[in-house]
Amino acid sequence: MNQEAIERAVAHYRELLLSQVQRAESMKNAATPEKKEKIVIGLIGGDGIGPIITCQAKRALEAILKDEITKGTVELKDIQGLTLENRMACGKAVPDDVLNEIKSCDVLLKGPTTTPSGGTMESANVTLRRELDLFANVRPVSVPEEGIDWTFFRENTEGEYTLGSKGIEIPELLTMDFKVTTVAGTQRIARAAFEFARNTGKTHLSIVTKSNIMKKTDGMFSVICHEMAKEYPEITVEEYYIDIMTANLINPAIRKKFQVFLLPNLYGDILTDEAAQLQGGVGTAGSANQGDRYAMFEAIHGSAPRMIAEGLGDYANPESILRATVMLLNHIAMPDKAEKLQKAIEAAAALCPVTGTKEGHTCQEYGDMLLKYL
């Protein structure tokens, strides 16, 4: 037995444990954000198809927020440096200077970023969610003709992802990763989901766990969510295990009853991609990452390196990032502009379909059509 490797692993685990205890304590003392007279929207292109699709979202924002930008109540700020090349050169998921620029903004519209397989570099998304404390990942999915109107509340800063690149290895024997669930972290995502349900008139909320197997982490998540449910007696609450819920989403006999979903991090990541496929694919779905101080809006899909390699980048569908822009406009209390953009997206999608192939329209052509409706 490699006793020296075990001792190193124990010391490493102790450091991780202390850091997570400190994080859990800090959540109890979060400061209330101050109201600002100007909203700064940071625009991040990302990698692969990211800059291509984000360009069209920027054009849409410039058109729909023209008056606010002129008055100085809204500022659009381009943020450079979150490319894979720069992150690899700096050896950081989010370079320090880029993170400082990001923190000077109030809300972010972000294109997809590539995470290298293997190695120790963390996902830029995971880093940003942690650094900006974006604890709620909110993803709506709508298929009216199927009776589907779902909103997913995925815990965004804990679970398997918070320490995903910091596991333990005993060479040639085993590796271990860690899953983290805190009381405060669970309470705030549960509160966000229940408040959304109450404020929007939803009457059914589904808690999704694997608490029969993950008895400590998912078990506590389940207990806290059910305890909070007592404060919302008008909402029917049911708990499902993640495996059966993946089946339920494609079961027409049951899926119409679902409205709001409340999930830990990993399950939310998986289930929302499945749900987006029912809507028309991950290219049609937007996503919000919300915290008490910052919010970040993005497409739910990746940077599509295969499309770039095949020379199809210009044929990427911008609908996902545009739907995220609708969510951004709602977040900054501009529902009329959000509705206007949503209608323009629907019109452009119908008249100028983008298929990701040369048989369809280009991203630029889609954007041109969108602007005609704005």
Side-chain angles (χ1 to χ4, degrees), residues 205-211 218 222 226 237-241:
L205 185 145
S206 305
I207 302 166
V208 183
T209 69
K210 194 64 176 172
S211 57
D218 285 14
S222 173
H226 281 291
V237 177
E238 296 181 300
E239 182 170 356
Y240 295 84
Y241 297 139

Side-chain angles (χ1 to χ4, degrees), residues 135-136 138 153-155 182-200 205 207 221 223-235 237 260-263 290 292:
F135 64 85
V138 185
F153 278 76
R154 164 194 172 193
E155 201 294 316
T182 67
V183 172
T186 304
Q187 286 174 336
R188 63 184 185 179
I189 188 63
R191 180 73 68 190
F194 278 107
E195 282 295 305
F196 170 84
R198 172 173 285 175
N199 293 337
T200 56
L205 185 145
I207 302 166
F221 190 95
V223 168
I224 290 173
C225 292
H226 281 291
E227 186 65 27
M228 187 167 292
K230 297 175 183 177
E231 301 178 32
Y232 301 84
E234 76 277 17
I235 299 172
V237 177
V260 180
F261 298 80
L262 173 56
L263 318 89
Q290 300 174 355
D292 293 326

Side-chain angles (χ1 to χ4, degrees), residues 58-297:
K58 180 181 179 181
R59 293 175 71 196
L61 283 173
E62 287 173 337
I64 209 162
L65 296 175
K66 181 179 178 181
D67 291 343
E68 288 76 12
I69 293 170
T70 301
K71 293 175 185 175
T73 56
V74 172
E75 176 187 349
L76 301 184
K77 185 174 186 178
D78 285 308
I79 297 177
Q80 307 295 326
L82 204 62
T83 62
L84 178 61
E85 294 78 12
N86 190 46
R87 287 182 284 132
M88 292 292 287
C90 295
K92 287 194 171 185
V94 181
D96 293 340
D97 59 334
V98 179
L99 182 60
N100 289 335
E101 283 288 289
I102 287 171
K103 287 184 174 181
S104 71
C105 302
D106 302 299
V107 294
L108 302 160
L109 186 65
K110 177 185 165 295
T113 47
T114 303
T115 303
S117 298
T120 59
M121 179 169 288
E122 188 175 50
S123 157
N125 272 7
V126 171
T127 300
L128 288 173
R129 289 165 186 165
R130 182 180 64 249
E131 290 289 339
L132 305 180
D133 202 20
L134 305 175
F135 64 85
N137 183 255
V138 185
R139 296 183 175 183
V141 170
S142 176
V143 188
E145 62 271 22
E146 297 288 341
I148 292 173
D149 183 14
W150 299 332
T151 305
F152 294 83
F153 278 76
R154 164 194 172 193
E155 201 294 316
N156 215 19
T157 60
E158 301 190 349
E160 293 84 354
Y161 289 10
T162 188
L163 297 175
S165 61
K166 299 179 181 178
I168 287 172
E169 178 180 4
I170 306 297
E172 300 182 5
L173 188 61
L174 63 85
T175 58
M176 292 178 65
D177 285 320
F178 301 103
K179 178 170 181 171
V180 179
T181 301
T182 67
V183 172
T186 304
Q187 286 174 336
R188 63 184 185 179
I189 188 63
R191 180 73 68 190
F194 278 107
E195 282 295 305
F196 170 84
R198 172 173 285 175
N199 293 337
T200 56
K202 306 296 184 184
T203 58
H204 189 279
L205 185 145
S206 305
I207 302 166
V208 183
T209 69
K210 194 64 176 172
S211 57
N212 58 330
I213 303 298
M214 308 298 292
K215 295 183 183 294
K216 295 297 184 183
T217 49
D218 285 14
M220 188 176 78
F221 190 95
S222 173
V223 168
I224 290 173
C225 292
H226 281 291
E227 186 65 27
M228 187 167 292
K230 297 175 183 177
E231 301 178 32
Y232 301 84
E234 76 277 17
I235 299 172
T236 299
V237 177
E238 296 181 300
E239 182 170 356
Y240 295 84
Y241 297 139
I242 178 61
D243 42 0
I244 191 60
M245 184 55 89
T246 59
N248 287 342
L249 291 194
I250 57 173
N251 182 352
I254 189 175
R255 67 188 183 191
K256 291 181 182 179
K257 79 170 184 176
F258 299 128
Q259 296 178 339
V260 180
F261 298 80
L262 173 56
L263 318 89
N265 205 335
L266 175 61
Y267 310 148
D269 193 5
I270 295 169
L271 209 62
T272 52
D273 277 9
E274 181 192 15
Q277 193 64 32
L278 297 173
Q279 180 177 259
V282 293
T284 68
S287 170
N289 302 274
Q290 300 174 355
D292 293 326
R293 167 67 180 83
Y294 299 99
M296 180 172 73
F297 300 83

Side-chain angles (χ1 to χ4, degrees), residues 323-338:
R323 287 182 180 270
T325 307
V326 172
M327 300 176 75
L328 184 154
L329 290 169
N330 275 316
H331 179 77
I332 61 175
M334 296 184 180
D336 293 343
K337 294 181 184 294

